[in-house]
Amino acid sequence: MKLITEKSTNGFQGVRRYDNKVYQDCWSLPVVTLTTIAVTLPNIKKAEVKSLLKSVREGLKYVTLVEENFNATDESIQNAAARQVGARLWEDVDLRHKWLGIRMKEIASQVNTTTSQVDTILQVFNLFLDH
């Protein structure tokens, strides 16, 4: 929350609008994706990145627990698969600092840091889309 309130110009409005019809009850995948984008942003201090990674690492335990029990009787294969994908992606992000095999530093190095914060975030987002 501290990182969001201090670094964000508009809060995290996009998260509220996030509507994933395919993985409706899978929260870990968007959490991992948004965290990856956040830690890839240039001009974020290492201590803040470490703090965010630690918080997400701790929080994902609860997210996974909720996901597993939320629809325990109506579990879809898609949601189970999404959780597994999210867990594997998180391991790469947290331990290897990679997204789909690409080092996040490599993606960050392609960002023009002289633009506004919003433009920088859009650049990072688009670089992830391209990979």
Side-chain angles (χ1 to χ4, degrees):
M1 289 306 295
K2 183 178 177 185
L3 183 65
I4 292 168
T5 56
E6 289 180 3
K7 302 293 181 186
S8 177
T9 54
N10 295 327
F12 235 160
Q13 299 302 319
V15 175
R16 286 196 188 111
R17 289 188 213 118
Y18 184 85
D19 184 16
N20 189 338
K21 302 280 187 215
V22 178
Y23 302 118
Q24 209 165 19
D25 298 323
C26 180
W27 301 337
S28 55
L29 195 54
V31 167
V32 170
T33 303
L34 291 168
T35 302
T36 303
I37 292 168
V39 300
T40 304
L41 293 172
N43 304 328
I44 303 290
K45 296 176 185 165
K46 283 189 177 185
E48 292 173 328
V49 169
K50 282 181 75 172
S51 177
L52 177 62
L53 289 172
K54 180 182 179 211
S55 297
V56 172
R57 190 179 309 121
E58 292 171 359
L60 276 175
K61 294 175 191 173
Y62 299 104
V63 168
T64 304
L65 183 65
V66 169
E67 286 175 337
E68 289 172 355
N69 292 290
F70 190 62
N71 286 328
T73 59
D74 189 30
E75 174 105 20
S76 76
I77 294 172
Q78 288 178 328
N79 288 334
R83 278 197 302 280
Q84 290 303 314
V85 169
R88 281 190 220 112
L89 284 174
W90 174 247
E91 188 176 293
D92 272 353
V93 169
D94 190 29
L95 301 177
R96 295 172 198 72
H97 303 284
K98 290 184 176 185
W99 178 258
L100 300 176
I102 301 165
R103 296 204 54 82
M104 291 186 291
K105 283 184 179 183
E106 183 180 317
I107 293 171
S109 70
Q110 299 175 44
V111 175
N112 179 355
T113 58
T114 60
T115 60
S116 72
Q117 184 176 5
V118 173
D119 288 338
T120 301
I121 293 169
L122 287 172
Q123 286 179 57
V124 170
F125 181 75
N126 285 324
L127 286 168
F128 276 109
L129 286 177
D130 291 343
H131 289 91

